Amino acid sequence: TLVPIQPRHCLPCFPAAVATALVALLAAASAVPAAASTYYLGPSGSDSNDGLSSAAAWATISKANSTLRAGDTVILLPGSYSGTIAPSTSGTSTNRIRYVGSLSNPGSVAVGNVSLTKSFVTVMGVKSSSGAGINYPAQYDSVAFCTLGYVRFGGGKYSMLSNCTINGQLHFAANGGLACYDHGVFDPNCVAPAEQDTVRRSTINLGAVYPGDRAMTFHGHVQSCVIDSNL
């Protein structure tokens, strides 16, 4: 007598160890991140656009900040933007997050401010009259070919500013700009000094410096920072 074979689902047909490995493989495949994207930002754009071309550009820096992920680049078209460059996530050592304006004419791309607290972020070719800060817990960030007001490394580490024009003060400090000590009393909120940061091949215009001014400062246990080959 022939016994009819009942249909079965595929996965239980495998031995238990093979089935477990297959489930793990499928889960890993579904976790692979999407390919990096290049987005566009323009003064006449709209945040309801997909941002994937200059004709479908976003309008605000905040849209870019909340959208960019590791490996992504946003191209800032000429114009003025009121927001602050401050991405909500970090890049990685092999997939940085990039904000790119005009390297040859940074003044054509004006932003409100640059304030980096995430890691592996690059900002290039913008003008910020307010300035730029690389602040704790940021690491391995870079700012290049920009025109800036003040610059502060506030507890950020292993970061670089190069080929920029700085029209204001330059500070290396601990997190939040803290000096860590006030008349010999330690501030317990001081948790991270600037460390191994570099300013290179830039033009530094401190302006008129009067007695008592602190146009360039190193405080808050700053360690191993370099100012090299600047004008």
Side-chain angles (χ1 to χ4, degrees):
T1 303
L2 297 176
V3 179
I5 299 175
Q6 299 298 322
R8 294 186 297 175
H9 297 292
C10 292
L11 193 55
C13 297
F14 293 103
V18 177
T20 300
L22 181 58
V23 170
L25 181 61
L26 292 173
S30 65
V32 174
S37 298
T38 297
Y39 297 101
Y40 293 82
L41 193 64
S44 59
S46 170
D47 287 351
S48 62
N49 291 336
D50 62 19
L52 294 174
S53 69
S54 57
W58 294 328
T60 66
I61 292 176
S62 61
K63 175 67 174 179
N65 290 339
S66 63
T67 304
L68 297 182
R69 296 295 181 264
D72 288 347
T73 297
V74 60
I75 306 297
L76 285 75
L77 301 175
S80 296
Y81 305 89
S82 60
T84 295
I85 293 178
S88 60
T89 59
S90 293
T92 69
S93 60
T94 55
N95 290 283
R96 302 180 70 85
I97 290 174
R98 295 178 175 86
Y99 294 73
V100 180
S102 172
L103 276 62
S104 61
N105 184 18
S108 67
V109 182
V111 302
N113 204 350
V114 178
S115 180
L116 306 181
T117 59
K118 303 300 181 181
S119 300
F120 298 105
V121 178
T122 293
V123 179
M124 304 175 70
V126 302
K127 177 182 178 180
S128 170
S129 297
S130 295
I134 300 177
N135 302 307
Y136 175 79
Q139 298 186 40
Y140 302 104
D141 290 338
S142 63
V143 178
F145 299 98
C146 292
T147 300
L148 307 165
Y150 75 88
V151 169
R152 184 173 72 192
F153 295 87
K157 302 180 187 299
Y158 321 118
S159 297
M160 175 175 283
L161 186 143
S162 68
N163 297 94
C164 291
T165 298
I166 305 169
N167 295 313
Q169 299 178 344
L170 175 60
H171 299 299
F172 293 80
N175 54 291
L178 297 176
C180 294
Y181 282 89
D182 184 6
H183 295 86
V185 178
F186 178 70
D187 185 341
N189 292 314
C190 177
V191 297
E195 184 177 349
Q196 297 189 43
D197 298 314
T198 300
V199 177
R200 178 167 288 149
R201 293 185 178 180
S202 295
T203 299
I204 305 172
N205 299 316
L206 297 177
V209 180
Y210 299 100
D213 288 349
R214 297 178 178 180
M216 183 181 293
T217 60
F218 298 81
H219 57 210
H221 298 291
V222 169
Q223 302 177 52
S224 305
C225 292
V226 176
I227 299 179
D228 175 58
S229 304
N230 299 286
L231 297 176

